[in-house]
Amino acid sequence: RELALAVAAVVAQLGFGGPVACGLAGGLIVNGALLRAAFLDAAAALGLDLQPITLVTEPAQGAVRLAQRMIED
């Protein structure tokens, strides 16, 4: 619930409306179906429309993609 509250605060502060893309990372939430479901249920109860939801199993891949984009620009 606390994580969902933090996400709700960020969404509100940034003024996002409608669906919000969500990347979930970290061994507990990526591999723990019960914890992930509890977070998503809490987020939904707060009125958050998190979609698409992406499980980030290897965060370093995202860093490499960002670096590649920076080189290409």
Side-chain angles (χ1 to χ4, degrees):
R1 175 153 167 76
E2 292 298 319
L3 181 56
L5 286 169
V7 171
V10 170
V11 167
Q13 184 68 29
L14 295 176
F16 290 154
V20 176
C22 179
L24 299 177
L28 288 176
I29 202 159
V30 169
N31 299 313
L34 291 176
L35 180 60
R36 185 170 56 251
F39 164 70
L40 295 174
D41 288 346
L46 293 171
L48 294 172
D49 182 11
L50 301 179
Q51 57 178 308
I53 297 169
T54 304
L55 298 181
V56 181
T57 57
E58 185 52 60
Q61 290 176 351
V64 169
R65 285 188 198 123
L66 286 173
Q68 287 174 327
R69 280 190 219 146
M70 290 174 77
I71 292 170
E72 292 170 358
D73 288 340

